[in-house]
């Protein structure tokens, strides 16, 4: 490859990263449905033709087939879900990602994979810049996100800035998803840096590398860090021996520069004006510094010297982490600031000996046992002046937190418990956000609560182990299986998420997809000359697979899109086609299949979008609404049909004739969904006006099964019972009272052995006492 053609392959085309940026930013703003429609249209348009057919027949590999199977199972899970109004949002993510994969498969030349990976690296760097900027001056991010919101986005509703003293949250409002995306960008930009030959190429790649790395570090996702560390090891192992030393040095230089920049950037995060521009410029400035280091020190080779330096770098990294964690000192406490520090004392009584300079210091001491860490609660042991702190630690305590405040400011120098244990205050070798994030590390409540999420996800999976309960089922069913109330759309483990939504079939397809990609890379490494891109793609694959086990990253549309693009890159570059599917007819059939899937998926999404728009117009009074209109919308929308049938069941509850009969049939159909909101409306606005009392209570209880752990749901139902009783519509008060008490008995049964018992309001309790007097 000559220098001119090589330069074209390394430098991303201007249009591709801009197109990816537009798609990702629109997805991040919640515009998944319109984006999925555009993606489906693009695939339907570009999958057909002589050239795509010829290309596809060379790419019908086991990996491509596994991705197709995963997509089809997601399609089925979306249509079979009882909660179509939630499933359609998840389906939009799958549709966009699969269409992107299909376009790569049908249209991307093998030699253009470098440009695709370069475009992804550039996209990630842009996201990093915008995320850092959103946490400071907002020069670029504020107008851009506002523009997307004018198109219907929801960035204004997200936390897209800075958790003071903790980390940046990123433009997508989730630092864990940001870290997962930027980790992929780091591997791809480092690969670009390693393979660059000219000074301009190296400067560009160094800038991308430092922008991605600084953003990743500032997001500081503990799960992301662990997955990234493992992926780095794999990156080194996959790299040929003669290039491994150079890669290690590059990674070490990048890490040191990013750490130095983090120290320099922290004081300016959360600040507007000119000083807030420095965090935005820090990444590119670090790129120039890395470029300079690469020019001066870019060694290559292997042997004893390389091995010795490699061992030295690894030991130095471990020493830094251990020394940084254990070497502590004093810390300044600004007025209005709260400093949180943790220790792990045994049960017993304690006093503190403290030394500080400045004004008075106030401290709140909290303890958490295992149950409290899971539920994100704590027990306050002491609250008052630091010098008078005296408290007893429970025997079952896992961690004790000290929360310091100083209204006039102070500098804490030393704090020691009466048993001699020191409370760590300042960490000179760590940036402040790292020091703050590692508090309670050995009893991390987020990590412990993740295990509870996993268990609840497995409970949902057990309800339908083979095919799952459909897309969106976790959000809707988690309150039916949990031991204490919390809200979560996802399990935070994509393997369990897929098991719950698509059963063992879905899990098999997802794991096969990752495993076959790994196999394709492994076979590629056994070639005489290893593709320079292979180690980076292997590291990206490891990051995707490992991070999926501890975070909900795959449930973010922009992350899933990038993952499918990279799987497409692996498929194009390394996967081998199934011999029996390499004929010309197979290519044409594959093109037709891709086009058909795009049309079906896009058609389903289009039907939902059109129906939802018409229904909104009816509710706004700009479009006439008839009973027949609801039937038409329900037929049009495969996902949101329940809302239209509910509308008819409620509004035609007491109508005589065909629509009254249809309203009753729709009510019976809707009750099979077991949704709390739907059942509550049916009970109050369908069965109550019709005088169908047994169905009134049955619908109420069926809905409560879904929201079993919600205080608000139980309180609302008993409030409805009370309002109905007070209305004078009840003909047999004793029977009605017995039904109310039967619902209460179900609550008592539910509360047995629960970690977080459901509580009723005082008004509910008073009403139940009244009901007991009637029986």
């Amino acid at each position: 490859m000559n220098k001119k053609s090589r330069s074209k392959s390394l430098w991303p085309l201007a249009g591709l990263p801009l197109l990816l940026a537009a798609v990702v930013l629109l997805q991040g703003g919640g515009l998944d449905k319109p984006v999925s429609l555009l993606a489906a249209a693009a695939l339907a348009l570009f999958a057909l033709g002589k050239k795509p057919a010829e290309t596809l027949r060379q790419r019908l590999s086991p990996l491509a087939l596994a991705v197709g199977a995963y997509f089809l199972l997601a399609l089925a899970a979306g249509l079979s879900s009882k909660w179509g109004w939630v499933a359609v949002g998840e389906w939009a993510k799958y549709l966009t990602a699969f269409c992107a994969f299909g376009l790569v498969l049908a249209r991307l030349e093998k030699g253009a994979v470098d440009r695709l990976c370069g475009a992804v690296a550039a996209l990630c760097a842009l996201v990093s810049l915008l995320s850092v900027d959103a946490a400071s001056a907002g020069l670029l991010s504020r107008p851009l996100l506002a523009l997307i919101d004018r198109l219907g986005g929801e960035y204004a509703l997200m936390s897209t800035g800075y958790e003071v003293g903790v980390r940046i949250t990123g433009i997508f409002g989730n630092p864990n998803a940001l870290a997962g995306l930027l980790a992929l960008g780091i591997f791809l930009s480092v690969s670009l840096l390693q393979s660059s030959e000219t000074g301009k190429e190296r400067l560009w790649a160094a800038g991308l590398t430092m922008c991605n790395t600084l953003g990743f570090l500032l997001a500081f996702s503990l799960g992301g860090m662990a997955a990234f560390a493992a992926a780095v090891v794999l990156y080194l192992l996959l790299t040929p021996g003669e290039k491994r030393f150079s890669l290690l040095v590059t990674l070490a230089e990048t890490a040191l520069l990013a750490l130095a920049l983090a120290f320099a950037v922290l004081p300016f995060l959360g600040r507007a004006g000119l000083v807030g521009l420095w965090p935005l410029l820090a990444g590119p400035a670090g790129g120039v510094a890395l470029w300079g280091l690469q020019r001066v020190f870019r060694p290559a080779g292997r042997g004893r010297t390389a091995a010795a330096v490699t061992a030295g770098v690894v030991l130095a990294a471990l020493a830094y982490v251990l020394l940084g964690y254990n070497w502590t000192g004093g810390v300044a406490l600004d007025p209005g600031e709260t400093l949180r520090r943790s220790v792990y004392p045994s049960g017993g009584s304690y006093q503190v000996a403290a030394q500080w300079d400045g004004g008075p210091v106030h401290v709140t001491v909290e303890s958490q046992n295992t149950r409290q860490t899971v539920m994100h609660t704590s027990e306050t042991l002491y609250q008052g002046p630091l010098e008078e702190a005296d408290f007893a630690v429970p025997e079952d305590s896992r961690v004790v937190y000290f929360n310091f405040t100083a209204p006039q400011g102070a500098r804490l120098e030393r704090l020691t418990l009466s048993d001699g244990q020191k409370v760590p205050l300042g960490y000179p070798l760590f940036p402040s956000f790292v020091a703050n994030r590692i508090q309670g590390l050995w009893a991390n409540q987020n990590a412990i609560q993740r295990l509870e999420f996993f268990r609840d996800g497995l409970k949902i999976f057990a309800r339908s182990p083979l095919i799952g309960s459909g897309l969106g089922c976790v959000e809707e069913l988690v309150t039916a299986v949990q031991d204490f109330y919390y809200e979560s759309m996802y399990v935070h483990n994509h393997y369990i998420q897929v098991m719950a939504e698509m059963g063992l079939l879905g899990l098999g397809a997802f794991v096969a997809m990752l495993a076959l990609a790994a196999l394709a890379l492994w076979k590629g490494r056994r070639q005489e000359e290893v593709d320079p891109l292979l180690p980076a793609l292997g590291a990206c694959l490891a990051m995707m697979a490992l991070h999926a086990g501890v975070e909900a990253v795959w449930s973010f549309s922009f992350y899933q899109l990038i993952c499918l693009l990279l799987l497409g890159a692996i498929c194009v570059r390394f996967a081998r086609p199934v011999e029996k599917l390499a004929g010309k007819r197979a290519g044409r059939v594959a093109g037709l299949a891709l086009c058909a899937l795009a049309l079906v998926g896009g058609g389903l999404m289009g039907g939902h979008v059109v129906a939802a728009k018409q229904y909104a117009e009816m509710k706004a009074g700009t479009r006439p609404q008839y009973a027949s209109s609801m039937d038409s919308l329900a037929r049009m929308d495969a996902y949101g049909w329940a809302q239209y049938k509910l509308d008819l069941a409620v509004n035609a509850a007491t109508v005589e004739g065909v629509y009254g009969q249809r309203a009753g049939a729709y009510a019976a159909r809707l009750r099979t969904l077991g949704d709390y909101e739907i059942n509550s409306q049916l009970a109050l606005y369908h069965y109550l006006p019709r005088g169908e009392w047994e169905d009134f209570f049955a619908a109420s209880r069926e809905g409560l099964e879904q929201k079993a752990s919600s205080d608000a749901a139980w309180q609302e139902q008993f409030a409805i019972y009370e309002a109905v009783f007070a209305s004078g519509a009840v003909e047999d008060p004793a029977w009605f009272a017995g039904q109310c008490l039967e619902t209460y008995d179900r609550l008592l049964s539910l509360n047995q052995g629960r970690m977080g018992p459901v509580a009723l309001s005082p008004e509910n309790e008073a009403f139940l006492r009244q009901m007991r007097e009637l029986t």
Side-chain angles (χ1 to χ4, degrees):
M1 184 182 293
N2 59 43
K3 284 191 175 182
K4 186 176 180 181
S5 62
R6 180 175 179 81
S7 177
K8 287 183 179 179
S9 70
L10 287 176
W11 281 76
L13 293 175
L16 187 54
L18 290 177
L19 176 62
L20 286 178
V23 171
V24 164
L25 290 173
L26 289 172
Q27 285 184 313
L31 296 172
D32 289 309
K33 295 173 186 177
V35 168
S36 69
L37 284 173
L38 292 173
L43 181 59
L45 182 63
F46 292 108
L48 291 179
K50 184 176 179 181
K51 184 178 179 181
E54 179 64 23
T55 303
L56 284 168
R57 75 183 186 88
Q58 302 171 21
R59 294 174 180 175
L60 294 179
S61 62
L63 171 57
L65 297 176
V67 174
Y70 184 58
F71 169 79
L72 287 173
L73 287 168
L75 172 60
L79 292 173
S80 65
S81 175
K82 292 182 177 180
W83 299 277
W85 56 93
V86 178
V88 68
E90 299 302 312
W91 166 241
K93 303 172 187 178
Y94 281 97
L95 180 57
T96 302
F98 177 77
C99 289
F101 178 85
L103 286 169
V104 168
L105 215 61
R107 287 289 180 172
L108 191 71
E109 298 292 339
K110 190 172 183 179
V113 170
D114 297 277
R115 282 179 284 175
L116 173 62
C117 292
V120 172
L123 162 71
C124 293
L126 174 63
V127 170
S128 179
L129 285 172
L130 291 173
S131 296
V132 174
D133 177 60
S136 47
L139 179 67
L140 299 178
S141 59
R142 191 177 297 118
L144 182 57
L145 301 187
L147 174 62
I148 295 174
D149 281 358
R150 289 181 66 87
L151 299 174
E154 299 176 345
Y155 281 110
L157 303 178
M158 303 180 194
S159 175
T160 57
Y162 174 51
E163 295 179 34
V164 179
V166 181
R167 55 183 174 176
I168 64 173
T169 56
I171 58 170
F172 305 121
N174 189 295
N176 298 318
L178 175 66
L181 182 67
L182 296 187
L184 304 179
I186 292 172
F187 292 130
L188 295 174
S189 54
V190 167
S191 175
L192 194 63
L193 182 60
Q194 287 292 101
S195 61
S196 60
E197 293 185 350
T198 69
K200 290 182 178 179
E201 290 175 359
R202 195 171 300 127
L203 179 60
W204 169 254
L208 296 183
T209 300
M210 288 310 305
C211 287
N212 283 319
T213 307
L214 179 61
F216 176 77
L217 183 58
L218 292 177
F220 205 74
S221 165
L222 293 177
M225 288 281 184
F228 181 77
V232 165
V233 173
L234 183 63
Y235 193 1
L236 290 166
L237 292 176
L238 289 174
T239 300
E242 66 274 10
K243 299 179 181 179
R244 192 172 296 148
F245 180 53
S246 174
L247 173 61
L248 180 68
V249 171
T250 297
L251 291 173
E253 291 170 346
T254 302
L256 289 173
L257 282 172
L259 187 63
L261 286 173
F263 275 105
V265 160
L266 275 177
F268 302 96
L269 290 178
R271 299 177 64 180
L274 291 177
V275 294
L277 292 177
W278 163 235
L280 175 63
L281 300 174
V288 174
L290 180 60
W291 172 76
L293 281 174
Q294 288 280 295
R295 293 192 64 181
V296 174
F297 188 60
R298 197 184 186 195
R302 55 199 303 176
R304 293 183 177 179
T305 302
V309 174
T310 300
V313 170
V314 173
L315 290 174
L318 291 174
Y320 168 74
V321 172
L322 292 174
L323 186 60
Y325 183 77
N326 290 285
W327 182 18
T328 60
V331 63
L333 192 60
D334 296 328
E337 178 186 3
T338 298
L339 181 72
R340 185 174 175 88
R341 291 296 182 256
S342 63
V343 287
Y344 308 90
S346 304
S349 298
Y350 292 88
Q351 296 79 41
V352 299
Q355 180 181 345
W356 74 90
D357 298 319
V361 177
H362 187 278
V363 65
T364 299
V365 184
E366 300 172 303
S367 171
Q368 284 188 330
N369 56 27
T370 299
R371 177 175 175 273
Q372 289 164 337
T373 56
V374 171
M375 298 180 66
H376 283 206
T377 60
S378 63
E379 177 184 354
T380 299
L381 305 182
Y382 171 81
Q383 191 170 17
L386 176 58
E387 64 272 18
E388 299 175 11
D390 187 341
F391 53 89
V393 177
E395 292 295 331
D396 61 350
S397 174
R398 293 193 60 166
V399 61
V400 171
Y401 290 101
F402 289 79
N403 302 283
F404 304 99
T405 58
Q408 302 172 23
R411 178 174 176 81
L412 295 172
E413 296 293 349
R414 187 170 59 253
L415 184 67
T416 307
L417 301 184
S418 52
D419 66 347
Q421 184 176 181
K422 293 183 178 180
V423 178
L425 298 172
Y427 293 79
L429 296 182
F430 286 162
S432 60
F433 69 90
V434 175
N436 294 335
R437 284 282 288 162
I438 62 175
Q439 299 309 308
L441 183 63
W442 311 118
N444 186 276
Q445 59 185 7
N446 289 327
I448 293 172
Q449 193 179 58
R450 288 286 195 277
L451 298 177
E452 194 69 21
F453 292 168
F454 298 170
R455 282 191 286 266
D456 290 341
L458 290 173
K459 292 176 186 176
I460 297 173
F461 158 70
R463 292 184 167 214
S464 180
L466 183 60
I467 61 173
S469 297
L471 299 184
C473 69
V474 170
E475 180 181 358
E476 297 297 328
L477 284 177
V478 69
T479 48
V481 299
Q482 60 195 197
D483 282 335
F484 65 96
Y485 183 74
Y486 63 85
E487 295 181 357
S488 181
M489 296 175 65
Y490 308 110
V491 180
H492 293 270
N493 178 310
H494 198 65
Y495 300 96
I496 300 177
Q497 183 81 24
V498 170
M499 290 168 67
E501 293 181 335
M502 292 186 265
L504 291 175
L505 293 177
L507 177 66
F510 182 66
V511 172
M513 190 171 68
L514 299 177
L516 289 169
L519 181 62
L521 291 172
W522 178 253
K523 289 182 177 179
R525 192 176 186 275
R526 295 168 64 182
Q527 303 298 319
E528 291 185 6
E529 185 177 352
V530 177
D531 191 308
L533 198 55
L534 186 148
L537 287 174
C540 287
L541 182 63
M543 186 71 197
M544 297 176 206
L546 294 172
H547 207 193
V550 293
E551 296 289 357
V553 284
W554 277 79
S555 295
F556 287 86
S557 52
F558 57 84
Y559 185 87
Q560 188 170 178
L561 168 68
I562 299 303
C563 287
L564 266 292
L565 282 175
L566 295 181
L567 287 175
I570 293 173
C571 195
V572 169
R573 192 79 155 229
F574 301 103
R576 299 173 183 175
V578 178
E579 292 185 8
K580 294 183 179 180
L581 299 179
K584 291 184 178 181
R585 179 178 296 178
R588 290 194 294 269
V589 171
L592 288 171
L594 284 178
C595 184
L597 288 172
L599 291 175
V600 169
L604 290 168
M605 182 59 65
H608 166 76
V609 171
V610 171
K613 183 175 183 298
Q614 290 184 8
Y615 184 69
E617 291 172 351
M618 291 175 187
K619 290 302 177 184
T622 58
R623 175 185 287 267
Q625 181 178 5
Y626 308 104
S628 58
S629 303
M630 297 298 100
D631 280 335
S632 298
L633 294 182
R635 287 192 296 268
M636 186 188 305
D637 190 349
Y639 299 100
W641 60 266
Q643 177 60 58
Y644 314 128
K645 292 193 174 184
L646 175 64
D647 192 290
L648 193 148
V650 167
N651 290 318
T654 57
V655 173
E656 296 182 357
V658 63
Y659 283 110
Q661 295 173 2
R662 193 169 297 174
Y666 282 179
R669 171 71 179 91
L670 289 166
R671 277 175 58 183
T672 64
L673 301 179
D675 179 74
Y676 172 78
E677 296 295 341
I678 288 176
N679 277 31
S680 185
Q681 292 190 55
L682 288 175
L684 196 54
Y685 302 115
H686 180 84
Y687 292 117
L688 182 60
R690 292 163 70 116
E692 297 174 355
W693 292 102
E694 291 187 359
D695 284 321
F696 168 82
F697 280 103
S700 171
R701 292 169 190 147
E702 290 163 7
L704 283 170
E705 290 179 10
Q706 185 213 355
K707 292 288 186 182
S709 66
S710 170
D711 291 359
W714 288 91
Q715 291 172 11
E716 182 181 39
Q717 290 306 301
F718 281 111
I720 288 173
Y721 297 168
E722 183 177 6
V724 170
F725 185 79
S727 70
V730 177
E731 296 178 356
D732 188 345
W735 180 87
F736 186 90
Q739 293 296 309
C740 294
L741 294 175
E742 182 180 333
T743 304
Y744 181 64
D745 288 340
R746 295 192 181 199
L747 174 59
L748 294 178
S749 177
L750 170 74
N751 273 341
Q752 292 181 6
R754 280 179 58 84
M755 190 179 298
V758 174
L760 297 180
S761 68
E763 292 79 9
N764 295 153
E765 298 288 358
F767 170 68
L768 288 169
R769 286 194 293 271
Q770 182 184 2
M771 293 298 98
R772 290 189 192 97
E773 293 174 357
L774 295 175
T775 58

